[in-house]
Amino acid sequence: MGDLYSDRPVPRRARALAGALLVLAALGGGASRTPGAERADRRGAMQEEILRLRAEMETLGRREQGLLGEVARLGAVLNLRAREAQEASLRLEEVRAGLAERRRRIVLLEAAQEARGRILAGRLREIYKRGTDVELRRLFGGGTVGDYLQGLRYASFLSERDAKLLRGWHDDGNRLRAEAETMIKEERGLDLARAEAMRAATELEKSRAERSRLLDAIQMDRAKHQEAIDDLERASRELGKLVQTLGGAARGPALDVRKFRGLLDWPADGPVSARYGDSVHPRFRTVVPHPGLDIDAPEGKAFRAIFDGRVIFASWLHGYGLTVIVDHGNGVVSIYAHASILLAGAGDDVTRGQVLGRVGETGSLRGPYLYFEMRMEGKPVDPSAWLRRR
């Protein structure tokens, strides 16, 4: 059967069509998670974080006052703007990826349509050249009844094959038009996402500049500097009252932390930029109280409990930002401040080395670092005497 009814009219074209159709069929398959789904998950988590930061900013606006309150508010605004910029960038990435995938689908559809078009054109040319009389002779020409039935079955097969080819041509033509229309909409969405990302980045820079101006003023303006010192001293007294109120309420760990004096691990890696004790401001020669250690750990770095204990406070604290206080029993507590996020809550029992949160700059007057303090019977003590020598 090598004439009009041959089932191998154009082998190379048929292979091209088959390959294009297989790729098209694979577009929607696969059980593994796609990069698009992972991006959507990340953006969803980012949006939840934005809602949390907005609520936090509103709370700070209601309860924080004074110069340190303004620093805290601007810090919260900066964190919010940073997350909004990240979310906008993620959205832009998502739209770009979707548009690239849409273009890839269109290329595959066009390839399949081109392959079908060549085959259909070849079939039409053959029918035109040979005419319908060839088909009639094939079906009704002199032969046995078996030949007639075989020809009828084969003609039916070819008819179904051609009909299927035509249906595929029509369906994919509709899909191609729909994909093209959707791509136009997505291109408009790309422009909007790009504009939103630029707006968010601009707002972030404005917030960063505003906070930087205030921090510079605290360092360079004597009146603001003194106001900040007075506010810090009030915050330190409030911290002492909080520790006395909450400390000792829970039963301490089985081990006595006092027996491990000088052997405790550091809460975070990084150099100590300010040690325990009062310091003198280099410009105004004012005495600045500093009852703890400033550990210059990078933002986002984990900080850990120095010993077993129970978390008695984990929230925002005026002058300290996001703060964790751990009661180790026998009158000893440790304090970890300026966190970007807290990973332990009040009432949690923690063990030595357990992650309590991430380093940040909430409530900070100079960027990200971990402020670490220890108190015994409510009074500050030098943490360096409790921590192992580096």
Side-chain angles (χ1 to χ4, degrees):
M1 295 186 182
D3 55 9
L4 177 63
Y5 295 100
S6 171
D7 57 354
R8 296 185 301 275
V10 190
R12 185 178 301 171
R13 293 174 184 170
R15 286 197 299 271
L17 174 60
L21 292 177
L22 283 173
V23 175
L24 280 174
L27 282 175
S32 60
R33 288 179 55 78
T34 64
E38 294 176 357
R39 277 192 297 269
D41 287 347
R42 292 205 313 272
R43 200 159 69 88
M46 192 71 67
Q47 289 170 341
E48 290 181 2
E49 176 69 3
I50 287 172
L51 292 176
R52 185 190 68 79
L53 287 172
R54 284 176 180 165
E56 179 182 287
M57 190 172 66
E58 291 175 2
T59 301
L60 288 176
R62 290 193 299 268
R63 72 184 184 188
E64 286 287 334
Q65 297 178 352
L67 190 59
L68 293 186
E70 181 63 10
V71 170
R73 187 190 69 80
L74 290 178
V77 171
L78 182 60
N79 283 340
L80 176 61
R81 296 291 177 258
R83 297 299 185 277
E84 287 176 342
Q86 291 172 0
E87 194 272 338
S89 296
L90 200 58
R91 169 62 180 161
L92 179 59
E93 178 186 341
E94 192 175 276
V95 173
R96 281 174 173 163
L99 189 55
E101 174 65 16
R102 187 76 57 190
R103 287 170 177 157
R104 186 174 73 92
R105 294 175 69 93
I106 288 175
V107 168
L108 292 173
L109 279 168
E110 287 175 340
Q113 288 295 80
E114 184 180 355
R116 282 197 186 96
R118 288 196 297 266
I119 294 175
L120 285 171
R123 288 285 293 146
L124 289 174
R125 282 195 301 270
E126 290 175 6
I127 293 173
Y128 176 77
K129 289 178 181 178
R130 294 176 179 262
T132 57
D133 59 327
V134 176
E135 298 180 13
L136 292 173
R137 286 197 303 272
R138 168 58 101 181
L139 290 175
F140 303 110
T144 65
V145 174
D147 292 337
Y148 167 77
L149 292 176
Q150 183 179 1
L152 185 61
R153 284 194 297 271
Y154 198 69
S156 176
F157 163 75
L158 290 176
S159 176
E160 291 177 1
R161 188 188 67 174
D162 290 346
K164 184 177 181 180
L165 193 63
L166 283 169
R167 283 196 302 271
W169 167 271
H170 181 267
D171 292 344
D172 277 357
N174 289 336
R175 288 176 62 191
L176 189 56
R177 283 189 293 274
E179 293 279 355
E181 291 173 359
T182 303
M183 187 176 72
I184 293 173
K185 295 178 182 177
E186 288 182 348
E187 286 174 342
R188 295 195 194 104
L190 178 62
D191 292 337
L192 293 174
R194 188 182 291 115
E196 176 59 24
M198 292 178 63
R199 186 202 64 77
T202 300
E203 290 297 321
L204 174 61
E205 288 306 313
K206 286 170 59 178
S207 297
R208 185 175 285 123
E210 186 179 2
R211 183 172 183 269
S212 180
R213 283 194 296 269
L214 179 59
L215 295 182
D216 288 344
I218 291 173
Q219 294 298 323
M220 304 303 292
D221 183 271
R222 180 183 291 274
K224 286 191 177 296
H225 175 71
Q226 188 60 51
E227 182 182 350
I229 291 178
D230 294 342
D231 210 354
L232 283 172
E233 289 178 341
R234 285 194 295 271
S236 181
R237 290 194 295 271
E238 291 171 4
L239 173 62
K241 292 178 182 177
L242 180 66
V243 169
Q244 287 182 335
T245 301
L246 300 177
R251 181 182 178 185
L255 296 175
D256 186 348
V257 65
R258 295 172 299 181
K259 295 181 180 179
F260 294 84
R261 181 185 173 95
L263 300 175
L264 300 177
D265 292 332
W266 284 70
D269 295 329
V272 175
S273 57
R275 294 193 173 276
Y276 175 86
D278 295 342
S279 62
V280 178
H281 191 273
R283 181 181 179 86
F284 304 119
R285 313 307 299 173
T286 52
V287 176
V288 181
H290 194 261
L293 301 177
D294 290 355
I295 303 174
D296 286 350
E299 185 169 12
K301 187 74 173 179
F303 61 86
R304 304 171 185 276
I306 59 168
F307 196 74
D308 300 353
R310 173 166 292 182
V311 177
I312 56 175
F313 183 86
S315 185
W316 186 278
L317 189 61
H318 178 72
Y320 296 87
L322 290 175
T323 303
V324 179
I325 303 177
V326 180
D327 184 356
H328 302 289
N330 297 293
V332 180
V333 300
S334 57
I335 301 159
Y336 315 74
H338 302 312
S340 61
I341 187 171
L342 303 181
L343 300 176
D348 290 353
D349 290 320
V350 296
T351 57
R352 179 177 184 173
Q354 183 173 329
V355 175
L356 301 176
R358 303 283 178 185
V359 174
E361 55 180 328
T362 55
S364 166
L365 296 180
R366 64 171 186 87
Y369 71 101
L370 176 68
Y371 175 73
F372 177 68
E373 186 176 317
M374 292 188 68
R375 296 198 175 212
M376 189 168 184
E377 304 299 339
K379 297 180 179 180
V381 293
D382 187 355
S384 299
W386 290 77
L387 303 175
R388 69 172 67 248
R389 294 177 62 86
R390 284 180 165 176

